Amino acid sequence: ISSSNILITCTNPSCDAKLSPSEMRDHESSCPHMQFKCKYAPFGCNWIGPRKNLKKHLTNDCSLSKVNGLIDQFRRTRFEHNHTIGFLLQQFAITQHAIQEQSQTFLSMHVKAVNLWNLIHLLFLLTCDPVQFFREKVKWKLFCESPHSRAYVNNMLFLIPTALWISRIILSGTK
């Protein structure tokens, strides 16, 4: 049996069209009996009917078609507002990210200066006044809270004695 001999009946109610499978695809998209909702259904019109009656419904029966211009203007405005909101949300996210980066940069610069002074002070206390060092536990406890802080302390503990040793060598060579 060849596929051109097979006829298919349209699935839309009240349509008796019998066509070949290739013709049926074109027919289904333009069938006058295909069921449609009114284009104002989102605004409250409950009409559902065949395509052939849609134009009549819109021109004679649909009370919402009389405010067509307002509804179209509402749709355009809503589209523009949604587009603007999307753009503003994207800009907000970019700005928020930039603020976070700047805050982290500022805090790290501030913390480094404060940490260096506190670290020097605490090293002095540790070597000269251990009792006072343990009284100021809150200050040195901050240096141990994160891996970054511990690495900073380790670097400073290595660099400060090294700097003192190098300066001692330089000063002893100048005498």
Side-chain angles (χ1 to χ4, degrees), residues 154-173:
N154 287 336
N155 289 339
M156 286 300 123
L157 289 174
F158 176 74
L159 290 175
I160 290 172
T162 304
L164 292 173
W165 182 68
I166 291 172
S167 62
R168 181 176 176 198
I169 292 172
I170 292 171
L171 290 174
S172 68

Side-chain angles (χ1 to χ4, degrees), residues 106-169:
F106 174 75
L107 286 175
S108 70
M109 289 175 8
H110 177 70
V111 165
K112 284 180 184 175
V114 171
N115 281 351
L116 181 58
W117 173 250
N118 285 345
L119 185 60
I120 292 169
H121 175 71
L122 291 173
L123 287 173
F124 174 78
L125 289 178
L126 181 62
T127 55
C128 299
D129 190 1
V131 175
Q132 182 64 26
F133 174 78
F134 285 106
R135 280 192 212 133
E136 294 188 12
K137 179 169 71 170
V138 173
K139 282 186 183 177
W140 57 264
K141 190 176 182 184
L142 295 174
F143 289 110
C144 302
E145 287 182 344
S146 70
H148 177 72
S149 297
R150 287 190 295 274
Y152 183 78
V153 170
N154 287 336
N155 289 339
M156 286 300 123
L157 289 174
F158 176 74
L159 290 175
I160 290 172
T162 304
L164 292 173
W165 182 68
I166 291 172
S167 62
R168 181 176 176 198
I169 292 172

Side-chain angles (χ1 to χ4, degrees), residues 95-107:
T95 304
Q96 195 173 23
H97 181 70
I99 289 171
Q100 282 179 331
E101 284 182 355
Q102 288 178 351
S103 297
Q104 288 174 349
T105 302
F106 174 75
L107 286 175

